[in-house]
């Protein structure tokens, strides 16, 4: 099953990633952009290679202890980009970088530029903070992707040796511990899927099985070492999800990226092994996140403090942490849950996180990124006060800690892998993206998907059996929760369909040119949050298709804080406008503009003037300068 | 002018302070309460005395570097309590404590138990963090109050010597610097008012004049020292209000207690010297606080981070810092502004802070205290998540940093000093408290005030001239901003009055038994916040008289998050109920209870059931166990 995207919406994003983001980030990793924070990530490996080979490197390590992982994510993005379209020059440069990495490996398989250069005697003494396993994981993911895209195994061989080193230490050697930042578990499952070497499955399972069994491991480790990276509180066991054995977890806690990376691996491992207890924990964690701890944009992580989940229904809008990487991790988790169980809600959440939080993480031109994606921006407060330092109202050009930008790249460059699923002769259409699905090897043909989704609701699947015969299969199409009325047509005639857990299953022998057409209801929906979320009391949000909308100051006279939406007022979908914000479908809603006394507190009620509230898709916010922004708007009925 | 309170409301509070709070805190200072955080504040002075006298103390210092100040505030509270009613046993014990303090003074006048015991070589090397001038200030305030209440000058003499030591260092000696935590400026003004020694005025002026002229002083100081207390960021000059020369300040910034203590002293000094530039700065700061940075409860300080002001209109309800001490400081500032200029708004704010934030700072039984007074409490989040650790939903029994409890004590024990003002033959009635105002020495008589305020709106002033003659004076009565219709009667006949800046001026020769009766309009008022405060969008609050009201879970079926107030709905004032919460006048408002789908987000609007929302005065919240609480409630109009 291979899917090539040909789609107005995502082709643009993939071109951005290949044409702008990857080259820009390469320049950053090569320290070639003046005035931008130095990365040094490539040079670190070059020096580490000299250190391993000669013992006397010609320069010093620079950057965070996890600097290797930034480059690893970029290599993975490059691999996905090369899979989309050949680029021999880029591939050659990437091969050279990989060569440095391979040469930096020690004879025993150990590989990490920080420890090689800065602290060779401190290896494996600080699993809590030092990100050794995390960096190894990202390099393994890159290795698998690069091997799959190019057929070249230098990095994969290197990382297999590294995995062997880790296996020897933790499994054969019986060393205690588990990673401070989960990630390698995902990577090992990918290594296993690609190589079929069961040792990687076993090692992933090992880290899953031992985590939290001794919740005090990080504390005990801290007592044995005389150094630290950040001086983390090793007794906060919820932070890194080591408070309990993982099969007992029911609440998503702590650092939200760590959490969803871990849960992704748990789901993957549960599927590979049929581990029901783990499956059950994954389901409980999924429900806790999506039913109690997720923003309407698919963002997660309510607090800057610990970049973390906090408590059920605590979802502040202006101080949200809502890290781009966390929503990317939620997409990983959703995809694995979807493999475990074909339920539309998993793909609904995947879509919600992708089209809202993740896309908002990148400026439309691909050169700036948000770490934090708040649901309300208040110029003068957001990014300014100590409470809102993290919640910037505009995307900066760089980050010293550059985890999010390459994470967006690798996801968008590989988004074709998220659109479809397959089980025997059932093909699952999870995300609605135009392009060509090649099933020649398995089901004897192709499916062409034509659509202007997400701006329009029509998705057409055209069947092209090999050699003009027939394709016998079940097409299972997700029925999105937001589509009130969904129609499915076969060769332009409406058909009935079974809805099983929000997938429509259509079993047919498809002849050449047969079409299945999906009509999704793109009418605007008003969203009501449960009253338990104190931040959204008396407010509503708007969505259309997969997009959550927001109001920005620039479209609304510079001030949206005095706006309220008229209860049961008129809502209009404007025509798709290709000329604004890269092409959007604006919405207007009837509302009021309050004019208050101007006093901070007053006994005089404000007067209300009817007005039109202009709304844009959330992912396009902050592309037109400094602005107020709100997803949740107060609802009012002023006339009697 | 002497005012003895005889009043249902404040007599109860003064009895609480004298009967419960002062004895309880004495036990804490004597480390006699098992299971409670050790204070050691008395013992510290005893050891310091031994250190000064013999060089070999029999024990060690314990506590914060500003531990002396806790005891100082308590001594001040004791002084006020002794002024209210004699208590020879307490006075004797207090004399003994003062004796330790006096004996701990060095021959050169220096006095501070921490530095004497722990760091004699580090004196005056860390003005930024070490609170030497702050502790001295509180002891000076205690000394003046104790001298005024008892006529005993031991502590005053001691602190005059200490003031001389400071004067010699900073004025005569020319040492650079100013206090990290303003406070001594207030104290020096009190010393000056009591002793008439102009050196104290000069020293207060010195610290006011030099502050912020070199905004880098704390940073430069930090470069010269090799020790720190907390490792404060000495380059954050807004934190301690040293960013600019004080006469140039226009925005209230930084640590809110430091800010209002400083502004209080500035206003006091401006009045004493006629310094117009300083007066103008005070007015600008007052306006910035009260028009842009104050909660409706009179609380200030929007952020836990730095316990600080943040930005205009940033007033989050659930994460408010809103420290009790800061509102006490705001009361100090208001009183000084009121002396500068007779404007009702100063007294309005003083009253707002007193009857709401400050009273809420203490449990009704006087044994528990809030540091932080949020306007919304969310059990499971408040006091629990990292974002809300500071915003406890119930008052704890003790604090390691015990600044607020004795501050409440000293304010409530001296509240009689805040009720009245006098200028020539005009007597200003700022706060409406029952009791007896003795003007025998100045205006030849007394005024008896009879009232059941704040629960009822009638305040009766009865004139009792000395020896049955007449009292010729102007009674200036504050016309509170919240009273929509205010009537004034002379001997039960309605009279016209001039309203000058919200004071009614009534000039008469009052005969024995003449009465002025004030009828304030106690009808419930709905309060609208400006739209600029994002946290209050679409919400309203309720007040009656000086009280801001709130809804608590216990009165509303355990859940207030699903409640909204009906726009233009019926609001009822219930009868005063002496049996609940120490006696309150409850309010009910017509509203709705929303029943939502239970899903975190839903396309289905909630259904609304009409209900009665029960409201109680904010100062009584959190007296009945763990509860949701909200001051600002969403406003809705559900029916068409």
């Amino acid at each position: 099953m291979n899917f090539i995207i040909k789609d107005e919406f995502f082709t643009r994003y993939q071109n951005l990633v290949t044409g702008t983001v990857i080259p820009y980030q390469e320049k950053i990793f090569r320290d070639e952009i003046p005035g931008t924070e130095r990365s040094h990530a490539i040079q670190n490996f070059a020096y580490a290679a000299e250190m391993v080979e000669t013992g006397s490197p010609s320069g010093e390590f620079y950057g965070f202890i996890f600097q290797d992982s930034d480059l690893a994510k970029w290599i993975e993005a490059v691999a996905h980009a090369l899979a989309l379209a050949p680029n021999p020059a880029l591939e050659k440069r990437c091969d050279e970088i990989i060569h440095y990495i391979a040469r930096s490996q020690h004879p025993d398989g150990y590989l990490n530029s920080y420890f090689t250069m800065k602290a060779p005697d401190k290896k494996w003494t600080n699993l809590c903070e030092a990100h050794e396993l995390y960096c190894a994981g990202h390099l393994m993911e890159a290795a698998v992707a690069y091997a799959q895209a190019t057929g070249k195994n230098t990095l994969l061989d290197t990382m297999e040796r590294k995995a062997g080193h880790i296996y020897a230490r933790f499994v054969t050697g019986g060393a205690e511990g588990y990673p401070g930042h989960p990630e390698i578990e995902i990577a090992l499952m990918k290594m296993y899927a690609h190589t079929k070497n069961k040792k990687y499955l076993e090692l992933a399972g090992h880290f899953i099985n031992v985590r939290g069994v001794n919740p005090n491991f990080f504390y005990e480790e801290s007592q044995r070492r005389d150094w630290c990276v950040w001086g983390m509180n090793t007794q906060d066991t919820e932070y890194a999800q080591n408070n309990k054995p993982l099969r007992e977890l029911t609440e998503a806690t702590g650092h939200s990226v760590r959490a969803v990376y871990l849960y992704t691996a748990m789901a993957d491992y549960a599927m590979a092994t049929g581990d029901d207890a783990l499956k059950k924990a994954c389901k409980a964690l999924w429900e806790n996140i999506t039913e109690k701890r997720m923003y309407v944009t698919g963002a997660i992580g309510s607090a800057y403090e610990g970049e973390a989940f906090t408590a059920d229904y605590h979802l502040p809008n202006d101080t949200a942490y809502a890290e781009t990487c966390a929503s990317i991790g939620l997409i990983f988790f959703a995809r694995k849950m979807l493999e475990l169980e074909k339920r539309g809600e998993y793909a609904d959440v995947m879509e919600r996180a992708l089209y809202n939080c993740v896309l908002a993480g990148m400026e439309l031109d691909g050169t700036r990124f948000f770490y934090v994606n708040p649901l309300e921006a208040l110029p003068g407060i957001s990014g300014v006060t100590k409470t809102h330092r993290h919640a910037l109202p505009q995307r900066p050009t760089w980050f010293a800690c550059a985890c999010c930008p390459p994470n967006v790249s690798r996801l968008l460059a590989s988004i074709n892998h998220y659109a479809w699923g397959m089980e025997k002769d059932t093909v699952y259409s999870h995300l609605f993206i135009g392009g060509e699905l090649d099933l020649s090897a398995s089901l004897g043909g192709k499916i062409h998907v034509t659509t202007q989704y997400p701006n329009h609701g029509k998705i057409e699947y055209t069947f092209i059996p090999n050699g003009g015969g027939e394709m016998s299969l079940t097409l299972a199409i997700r029925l999105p929760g937001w589509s009130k009325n969904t129609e499915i047509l076969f060769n332009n005639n409406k058909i009935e369909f079974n809805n099983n857990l929000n997938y429509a299953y259509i079993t047919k022998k498809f002849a050449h040119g047969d079409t299945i057409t999906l009509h999704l209801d793109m009418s605007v929906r008003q969203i009501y949050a449960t009253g338990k979320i104190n931040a959204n009391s008396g407010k509503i949000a708007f969505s259309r298709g997969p997009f959550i909308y927001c109001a920005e100051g620039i479209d609304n006279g510079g001030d949206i804080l005095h706006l309220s939406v008229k209860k049961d007022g008129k809502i209009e979908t404007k025509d798709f406008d290709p000329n604004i914000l890269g092409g959007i479908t604006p919405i207007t809603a009837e509302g009021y503009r309050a004019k208050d006394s101007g006093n901070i507190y007053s006994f005089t009620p404000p007067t209300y003037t009817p007005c039109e509230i202009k709304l844009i898709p959330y992912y396009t916010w902050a592309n037109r300068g400094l602005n107020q922004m709100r997803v949740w708007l107060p609802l009012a009925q002023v006339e009697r």
Side-chain angles (χ1 to χ4, degrees), chain A:
Chain A
M1 186 170 68
N2 186 38
F3 181 53
I4 296 169
I5 293 177
K6 286 178 195 161
D7 172 292
E8 227 170 90
F9 194 78
F10 274 110
T11 299
R12 194 190 79 83
Y13 271 107
Q14 295 202 322
N15 290 343
L16 251 190
V17 168
T18 54
T20 302
V21 186
I22 287 178
Y24 179 78
Q25 290 181 348
E26 183 180 355
K27 283 207 181 76
I28 287 181
F29 292 130
R30 294 190 185 277
D31 305 318
E32 288 174 359
I33 301 192
T36 295
E37 175 69 9
R38 189 155 71 116
S39 163
H40 211 256
I42 296 171
Q43 199 58 51
N44 284 342
F45 276 115
Y47 291 151
E50 290 174 350
M51 176 66 108
V52 168
E53 287 166 358
T54 69
S56 69
S58 53
E60 285 189 1
F61 178 93
Y62 175 84
F64 281 101
I65 201 162
F66 50 79
Q67 209 79 350
D68 291 358
S69 67
D70 293 346
L71 186 63
K73 277 187 267 188
W74 179 81
I75 296 172
E76 187 185 337
V78 168
H80 296 313
L82 295 175
L84 297 178
N87 184 336
L90 176 63
E91 186 171 334
K92 183 160 174 280
R93 293 199 304 279
C94 204
D95 285 342
E96 286 164 8
I97 293 167
I98 287 169
H99 191 54
Y100 287 130
I101 298 173
R103 282 171 49 212
S104 79
Q105 186 162 43
H106 293 255
D108 67 354
Y110 188 86
L111 184 154
N112 180 296
S113 78
Y114 174 86
F115 281 93
T116 297
M117 297 290 291
K118 298 274 282 187
D121 57 325
K122 292 193 167 61
K123 287 174 196 165
W124 303 126
T125 57
N126 188 349
L127 296 186
C128 179
E129 299 182 315
H131 284 39
E132 273 164 299
L133 292 166
Y134 172 85
C135 288
H138 272 304
L139 282 165
M140 287 176 195
E141 286 200 77
V144 171
Y146 205 76
Q148 287 171 343
T150 65
K152 293 176 183 167
N153 284 342
T154 306
L155 189 57
L156 184 62
D157 291 345
T158 304
M159 295 318 295
E160 287 211 69
R161 281 191 294 273
K162 172 84 181 186
H165 176 87
I166 296 168
Y167 185 92
R169 177 172 182 83
F170 290 94
V171 179
T172 325
E176 203 190 351
Y178 38 81
H181 194 316
E183 148 60 26
I184 195 170
E185 300 87 344
I186 292 177
L188 288 165
M189 292 304 295
K190 285 189 178 176
M191 295 264 283
Y192 167 61
H194 183 71
T195 65
K196 312 292 180 219
N197 183 338
K198 285 214 167 181
K199 275 197 175 177
Y200 306 140
L201 176 69
E202 189 188 351
L203 185 54
H206 171 79
F207 286 132
I208 288 168
N209 291 331
V210 299
R211 190 175 199 88
V213 173
N214 172 11
N216 296 318
F217 169 72
F218 291 140
Y219 174 72
E220 290 165 10
E221 181 192 65
S222 74
Q223 299 301 298
R224 289 190 294 265
R225 60 179 154 88
D226 59 354
W227 68 289
C228 72
V229 183
W230 296 282
M232 275 171 53
N233 174 7
T234 54
Q235 291 179 302
D236 177 0
T237 58
E238 289 195 344
Y239 174 79
Q241 302 82 37
N242 58 312
N243 50 322
K244 292 179 187 173
L246 302 187
R247 288 171 185 78
E248 295 171 18
L249 291 179
T250 54
E251 272 195 352
T253 66
H255 188 273
S256 52
V257 176
R258 289 170 207 241
V260 284
Y261 279 15
L262 178 64
Y263 308 155
T264 299
M266 284 163 62
D268 204 357
Y269 185 78
M271 188 165 47
T273 59
D275 185 326
D276 281 335
L278 204 55
K279 216 180 279 187
K280 211 178 133 199
C282 288
K283 186 121 182 172
L285 291 163
W286 175 268
E287 287 171 1
N288 181 245
I289 292 175
T290 60
E291 296 174 11
K292 295 178 180 169
R293 299 185 176 198
M294 182 180 75
Y295 287 93
V296 73
T297 55
I300 50 174
S302 301
Y304 163 76
E305 296 84 354
E307 309 184 344
F309 289 108
T310 52
D312 290 348
Y313 305 112
H314 175 234
L315 294 157
N317 293 307
D318 54 340
T319 57
Y321 198 69
E323 186 179 340
T324 310
C325 283
S327 280
I328 292 172
L330 183 60
I331 290 172
F332 298 161
F333 185 27
R335 187 169 64 160
K336 290 299 165 192
M337 291 305 289
L338 208 44
E339 291 176 18
L340 269 174
E341 189 185 15
K342 301 295 177 294
R343 287 185 92 95
E345 63 173 87
Y346 299 127
D348 277 4
V349 168
M350 183 160 85
E351 183 184 66
R352 186 190 286 269
L354 173 63
Y355 284 90
N356 298 289
C357 184
V358 173
L359 290 187
M362 184 164 78
E363 193 97 346
L364 287 170
D365 68 5
T367 62
R368 292 164 175 253
F369 295 85
F370 272 137
Y371 224 88
V372 166
N373 299 279
L375 281 76
E376 182 160 302
L378 304 161
I381 296 171
S382 298
V384 176
T385 62
K386 285 179 182 160
T387 47
H388 290 67
R389 280 278 157 84
H390 62 288
L392 304 179
Q394 292 187 276
R395 295 172 191 82
T397 50
W398 58 272
F399 294 94
C401 168
C403 66
C404 296
N407 227 353
V408 174
S409 304
R410 70 179 181 134
L411 179 73
L412 293 182
S414 63
I415 201 68
N416 51 319
H417 296 298
Y418 294 77
W420 301 90
M422 195 168 163
E423 222 169 73
K424 293 179 189 160
D425 59 355
T426 302
V427 178
Y428 287 87
S429 176
H430 299 317
L431 298 179
F432 308 119
I433 301 177
E436 194 178 297
L437 182 69
D438 191 345
L439 300 163
S440 300
S442 51
L443 296 171
K446 293 182 177 178
I447 303 176
H448 286 190
V449 184
T450 317
T451 184
Q452 289 178 288
Y453 191 83
N455 282 296
H456 296 280
K458 182 180 165 193
I459 296 108
E460 193 163 83
Y461 304 82
T462 306
F463 294 82
I464 317 286
N466 293 342
E470 283 183 333
M471 293 172 73
S472 193
L473 60 89
T474 299
L475 180 64
I477 303 176
R478 177 171 62 104
L479 301 166
W482 48 259
S483 175
K484 203 167 179 176
N485 302 297
T486 300
E487 289 189 353
I488 298 181
L489 290 74
F490 174 61
N491 291 341
N492 297 318
N493 296 310
K494 200 175 149 181
I495 55 170
E496 296 302 308
F497 55 85
N498 287 330
N499 176 343
N500 185 16
L501 301 174
N502 295 320
Y503 277 87
Y505 288 80
I506 302 143
T507 307
K508 281 198 190 303
K509 288 188 178 169
F510 293 98
H512 183 95
D514 278 354
T515 57
I516 293 283
T517 310
L518 177 70
H519 284 290
L520 298 173
D521 182 349
M522 300 300 277
S523 53
V524 176
R525 308 292 303 266
Q526 301 192 27
I527 304 179
Y528 303 84
T530 172
K532 292 176 183 171
I533 303 176
N534 74 312
N536 296 341
S537 290
K539 295 180 188 164
I540 59 164
F542 291 89
S543 68
R544 180 179 179 272
F547 291 131
I548 301 298
Y549 276 65
C550 67
E552 250 195 333
I554 192 170
D555 300 314
N556 293 284
D559 166 32
I560 57 169
L561 290 175
H562 288 80
L563 295 180
S564 52
V565 176
K566 181 174 174 179
K567 187 170 182 297
D568 305 323
K570 200 166 75 178
I571 293 161
E572 279 188 284
T573 305
K574 300 290 178 188
D575 289 339
F576 176 76
D577 186 341
N579 299 316
I580 54 167
L581 295 166
I584 62 162
T585 304
I587 295 174
T588 60
E590 243 187 310
Y592 309 102
R593 179 173 294 283
K595 186 170 156 49
D596 57 48
S597 66
N599 295 329
I600 185 168
Y601 307 115
S602 170
F603 297 121
T604 311
T607 56
Y608 295 91
T609 313
C611 72
E612 192 177 62
I613 301 176
K614 294 183 179 162
L615 301 158
I616 57 167
Y618 173 78
Y619 79 98
T620 65
W621 85 279
N623 274 278
R624 294 171 296 173
L626 189 63
N627 263 301
Q628 290 179 357
M629 184 277 290
R630 255 187 171 176
V631 169
W632 291 96
L633 294 158
L635 187 64
Q637 178 58 42
V638 171
E639 303 97 343
R640 297 299 293 273

